[in-house]
Amino acid sequence: MTTETVRFTDLALSEPVLKAIADVGYEQPSPIQAESIPHLLNGDDLLGLAQTGTGKTAAFALPLLTRVDMKLKTPQILVLAPTRELAIQVSEAFQTYAKHMKGFHVLPIYGGQSFDTQLRGLRRGVHVIVGTPGRVMDHLRRKTLDISNLKALVLDEADEMLRMGFIDDVEWILEHTPKERQTALFSATMPKEIRRVTKRYQRDPKEVSIASETRTGENIEQRYWMVSGTNKLDALTRILEVENTDAMIIFVRTKNATVELAEKLEARGYAAAALNGDMNQQLRERTIERLKNGKLDIVVATDVAARGIDVVRVSHVLNYDIPYDSEAYVHRIGRTGRAGRSGTAILFVAPREKRLLHTIENSTKQKLSRMELPSGEMVTQQRTDQFKQTLLDTIAKTKELEFFDEMLASFSHDHNVSPEQIASALALLAQKERPLQVEFKNVKAYNERDDRSSRSDRPERGNRGERGGERGGERGGRNRSSEVESGMQRYRIEVGREHECRPGDIVGAIANEANIDSKNIGHIKLNDSFSTVDLPEGMPKEMFQTLRNVRVRGQKINITLAQESDSKGEAPKRGADFKKKPRGDFKKKRTFKKRED
Ligand code: AMP
C-alpha cells in the first residue's frame, strides 16, 4: 500500500480517535501522518522532517492519544513547543482529537500565565501537557509536575526551539524524563544541533520526511498570496471578481470545508458546488459533468475527490488551503492547463506556512510569483465595465423601454430634473448591496508582519551551545545594522550582559510572555546593563504593559521606547549604538542566506 492509498481506518487508531477524525472531516491521512502513525503506535522513536501545514500535529497526536491510558490521571504525554501560540494550538488539536475520550484532559502551560491557574489544572489530573520549555522546566524544578508515568515526549518545531535559545532547557527536560519514554522530534530543518540531540536522546529513531522532487507544467502560471489583513473568503471573492476565469477548482483540506465554502460562494452568487469523498461516485460524476458543460463554474474539492479530473475549461486552480506537500501541489495544479491550454494556479499561504511554500518551490524547481489582492480601483473598474455593458444591452431592448421613456420624460418635465440626474439616481438604486465603487480597508494585525524574508533569510540564532561570539552582543541574524528597519521601533530593556542575558532569552521571553511571533522580533543588541530590541511599530498598549513586567534572568525588563529615553536625556549608556549607517551598508547586510544544515 502506498501512503497515497492509506485510509485512517487502515491504521490501528482507537475508535474514539477515528470518530473524532470523521467529525472534523479529514478524508485521508496526509503523507507525514501515513508514515508516522504506524511507528508511533508501535512505540518507536521518530524523527520527522516536516513543517507546519503538513499535518504534523495530528501525525503525533492521533497515535499518542490512542496509547493514552485513561485510568491513569498523571501526564503521559508531554509536548514541548517553542511558543505559547503553538502550545495553545497543539493543545486545542489534542482536545479536538480526544473529543470522544471521556474524562480526557490536556493542559497548555506557558510563561505569562499564572502558576496558580496551571497548578489548578494540574491538580485536576491531566493526560497530556503541552508547554513551552521554560515553564515546563520551572514546574519540574518546583516538583509541581509529575512526569514519572510519562510515556512519550514530543519536541515540536525543534529547530524553532533551538533558534529561540531553548535548547539547554529542552536538554534539561530530556535528562529529567523517564529513560524508557518514547521520543518524537519534529523539525522543519535539520541543523547539526538537532542531529546531535536526536543522537543523544533518541533510540534508533525512524525517520520520516515529505521531501520529494516533482515537476509542474510550464503552461501553468503560478502565483501565491500571503494571507494577511483580509480573510481568505474575502480574498477569494476579490480574485473571482477581477481575474478572467472560465472554470475554477478550489482545493480545501476537509470534506466539511468543501460544503461550507461552496455554500458561501453560492450565497455570493457564484455557480459553485462541493466535491468530496462522502459523495457517491454517481453524484461526483454528475458534479464534474456540470462543471464541464458550464452549469457550474466553481468546484470546491478535497484532494481525494479531485484526483484525475480532466475538464478542459478549468482555467484556474486555487489552493485555498495549502497542500501537505509538493506532490499534492503538483496533482492539484495539474487540473488546469489541460489539452495544451494555459492555466493559472493560485496558492494561499498563511504566514506560518511559508516554509511549506519554500519546499514546494524547491522540489518543483519553480518560483511562484507573489501576488497582491486586486485593489479597490481594480474591482471598481471591473464592476463599472460590467455595469456599462448591462446598460448597453438594456438600451438595445427598445420595445421594452417605451413605457419607461414616456414615464421618465414626464417625470423630468414635472420635477425639473435632467435625464442625467435621473440616470444617476437609477444607477445608485441598481447597485443594491453591491456598490460599484469599492474601497478596501487593509487592516494588518500588529502581529502579522508578513515579510517573506523574515523567517527564511535568518540564520539560526540564540543557540546557547554554539554562540561563542555572542558577547559581541548582536542577535545573530536578520539585521546586524544599527539602523532601525522600516516598520520597526527600537525599545530599550533593562537587562544586559551583566545579568548573563543572551539574545535567545530576550526572544523567548518576549515571544512567549507578550505573545509576539518570534519572527516579528528584530535586531537585538546587548550592552552591559541594558539592551535594545526592535519590534514592529504600533505596539498595542496592553502588550506594552505586559512587556514592562516581563522578567528576563530574574530582571524586570521595564521596556521603554529607545528614542524616548534618548530625548529625555536618559541617553543610552556605554556600548549603545544608535547611529544610522549608510543605506547601502544596511542593504548589503540584509542579504543573509538561510542556513539549513
Ligand atoms: P499542521 O501541519 O499540524 O499545522 O496542520 C495543518 C492543518 O491541516 C490543520 O488545520 C489541520 O486541521 C489540517 N489537517 C491535518 N491533518 C489533516 C488531514 N488528514 N486531512 C485534512 N486536514 C488535515
Side-chain angles (χ1 to χ4, degrees), residues 286-297 311 313:
R286 200 155 3 114
T287 305
I288 295 168
E289 200 45 47
R290 287 169 66 214
L291 186 69
K292 259 188 197 153
N293 62 28
K295 291 209 172 81
L296 279 177
D297 291 326
V311 176
R313 65 180 281 265

Side-chain angles (χ1 to χ4, degrees), residues 486-498:
S486 98
M488 302 291 271
Q489 272 175 316
R490 182 153 296 169
Y491 290 87
R492 171 184 163 125
I493 55 175
E494 303 306 321
V495 57
R497 279 198 290 260
E498 62 194 34

Side-chain angles (χ1 to χ4, degrees), residues 5 18 36 117 219 241 297 532:
T5 54
L18 285 174
S36 308
T117 315
N219 54 338
E241 282 219 41
D297 291 326
T532 61

Side-chain angles (χ1 to χ4, degrees), residues 8 26-30 33 51-58 97 253-254 324 352:
F8 276 114
Y26 294 173
E27 207 150 44
Q28 209 189 10
S30 71
Q33 291 163 0
Q51 48 273 84
T52 298
T54 52
K56 66 177 166 60
T57 315
Y97 303 137
R253 287 212 161 166
T254 64
Y324 305 113
R352 44 192 295 275

